[in-house]
Amino acid sequence: MYSAEKPLIDVKNLKKYFNVGKNQVLKAVDNVTFSINQGETIGVVGESGCGKTTVGRTLIRLYRPTEGEIYYNGKNINDLNKTEAKKYAKTAQMIFQDPYASLNPRMTVGDIIGEGIDIHGLYRNGDRQSRIYELLEKVGLNREHANRFPHEFSGGQRQRVGIARALAIEPEFIVCDEPISALDVSIQAQIVNLLMKLQKDMNLTYMFIAHDLSMIKHISDRIAVMYLGTIVELTNSNELYSNPIHPYTKALLSAIPIPDPKIEKSRSRILLEGDVPSPINPAPGCKFRKRCKYAMDVCEIKVPELKEVSVSHYVACHLTSR
Ligand code: SF4
């Protein structure tokens, strides 16, 4: 379990904008502040286009922030010199959504896993091969798989290869970018359980990105719900599921199917009207207001701030500050 006293990552007022031409700005991440504690899993959830993957990519320095800071162990990751940046690249890794597209089809699984080991000069000669075998076994594959190519594996096995590749250089922090979304439901739990076991064994810290709330509770210590580039609710998993406050979180929760057909048939769903608005030149006020049945006049003019409404439970909604 994570230590609340020791944040590993501190994200402060992060913005990531993209110029998309003709004076148009896509505000993918728009003033996001949160921290991730050592050994913790923070789940980040929201519909497509909410900015969750952009946050993840900015945390591992694939993107540079437009504004704001990201501190890793107290050091701003965008102020690193070349040596420090190489060290950080070893510390922070990413597991991708589509395990097939992210694996080079012309390389054997052994070489895919060994690539990072070579770049960082970690294991030499026979040690390198032993390390590859060890990693394959750690993720539930076996050493014979080292000589095979990605197309010879199932989706779940390919994701295991992706995990082994991320672990090869002994990272501390991993952004798991929807690692189970492309997999069969029957395989999803296996991958989640594997990630949880690896976290325990290797003291890893995760940011786990998902597009809905169905699987994320099991793995997350805390969950941040994102909508159109901002965090609208942030609290620990149990609290979020038992006491959701933001209208958007409530709608996401009501969309999770319940395995009991009787309950599933009788319960009412909160249907979100309309699509997610465009993040290009968004209108002022609350970004959720066009889909919110509680929207008030103030919601049109004032952006709701993320405020602590009870212990460690943060919500950005004018309803909670009335
Ligand atoms: Fe709805 Fe207003 Fe709250 Fe936004 S701030 S979620 S529009 S009530």
Side-chain angles (χ1 to χ4, degrees), residues 246-247 286 288-289 292 294-296 299 304 317-319:
H246 196 281
C286 174
F288 187 60
R289 71 186 153 82
C292 179
Y294 306 104
M296 307 164 278
C299 308
C317 175
H318 292 308
L319 285 174

Side-chain angles (χ1 to χ4, degrees), residues 6 9 48 55 70 180 189 276 301 303:
K6 198 181 173 198
I9 298 168
S48 168
V55 173
I70 300 166
I180 55 171
V276 182
I301 44 174
V303 177

Side-chain angles (χ1 to χ4, degrees), residues 3-221:
S3 154
E5 287 80 44
K6 198 181 173 198
L8 182 68
I9 298 168
D10 248 328
V11 179
K12 293 189 191 301
N13 304 109
L14 179 67
K15 294 182 183 177
K16 180 62 194 172
Y17 296 169
F18 297 94
N19 286 320
V20 287
K22 293 184 184 160
N23 295 328
Q24 296 208 307
V25 177
L26 188 155
K27 298 188 173 181
V29 179
D30 200 11
N31 205 13
V32 158
T33 295
F34 65 100
S35 61
I36 310 177
N37 298 305
Q38 175 86 51
E40 179 185 29
T41 297
I42 187 157
V44 180
V45 70
E47 291 163 288
S48 168
C50 73
K52 54 196 190 299
T53 295
T54 306
V55 173
R57 290 183 175 195
T58 314
L59 260 55
I60 61 162
R61 296 182 88 244
L62 285 180
Y63 294 147
R64 236 191 128 76
T66 306
E67 268 182 45
E69 292 101 45
I70 300 166
Y71 296 94
Y72 191 92
N73 264 333
K75 179 106 187 157
N76 189 335
I77 64 164
N78 291 295
D79 286 344
L80 304 178
N81 62 34
K82 213 173 162 189
T83 311
E84 290 168 331
K86 191 170 179 197
K87 197 170 162 219
Y88 185 71
K90 179 182 169 304
T91 302
Q93 282 289 298
M94 192 154 186
I95 297 169
F96 297 90
Q97 176 180 4
D98 184 343
Y100 194 63
S102 68
L103 303 177
N104 186 334
R106 283 185 285 277
M107 286 170 77
T108 64
V109 157
D111 285 339
I112 288 170
I113 296 171
E115 201 176 20
I117 293 176
D118 298 339
I119 289 169
H120 292 276
L122 293 179
Y123 293 84
R124 307 276 181 208
N125 310 320
D127 288 348
R128 177 187 186 275
Q129 202 56 29
S130 316
R131 175 69 176 151
I132 291 168
Y133 292 152
E134 184 198 340
L135 285 159
L136 284 169
E137 283 162 9
K138 214 180 250 302
V139 298
L141 298 171
N142 60 56
R143 54 178 60 201
E144 285 75 44
H145 289 131
N147 294 322
R148 298 199 197 157
F149 290 88
H151 74 266
E152 298 176 68
F153 292 85
S154 67
Q157 287 176 318
R158 285 196 289 261
Q159 195 52 289
R160 288 175 192 269
V161 173
I163 294 168
R165 176 178 56 183
L167 295 179
I169 54 174
E170 299 163 4
E172 294 175 353
F173 169 57
I174 302 180
V175 174
C176 307
D177 186 12
E178 300 207 45
I180 55 171
S181 302
L183 304 177
D184 288 350
V185 176
S186 57
I187 308 295
Q188 289 182 349
Q190 291 177 17
I191 296 296
V192 166
N193 289 337
L194 171 65
L195 287 167
M196 289 173 76
K197 181 176 185 314
L198 293 168
Q199 178 174 43
K200 204 166 160 222
D201 293 349
M202 302 169 78
N203 193 26
L204 296 166
T205 302
Y206 291 148
M207 174 174 166
F208 192 96
I209 297 171
H211 63 263
D212 65 36
L213 282 161
S214 56
M215 263 297 202
I216 203 168
K217 184 183 180 189
H218 190 49
I219 193 168
S220 306
D221 295 295

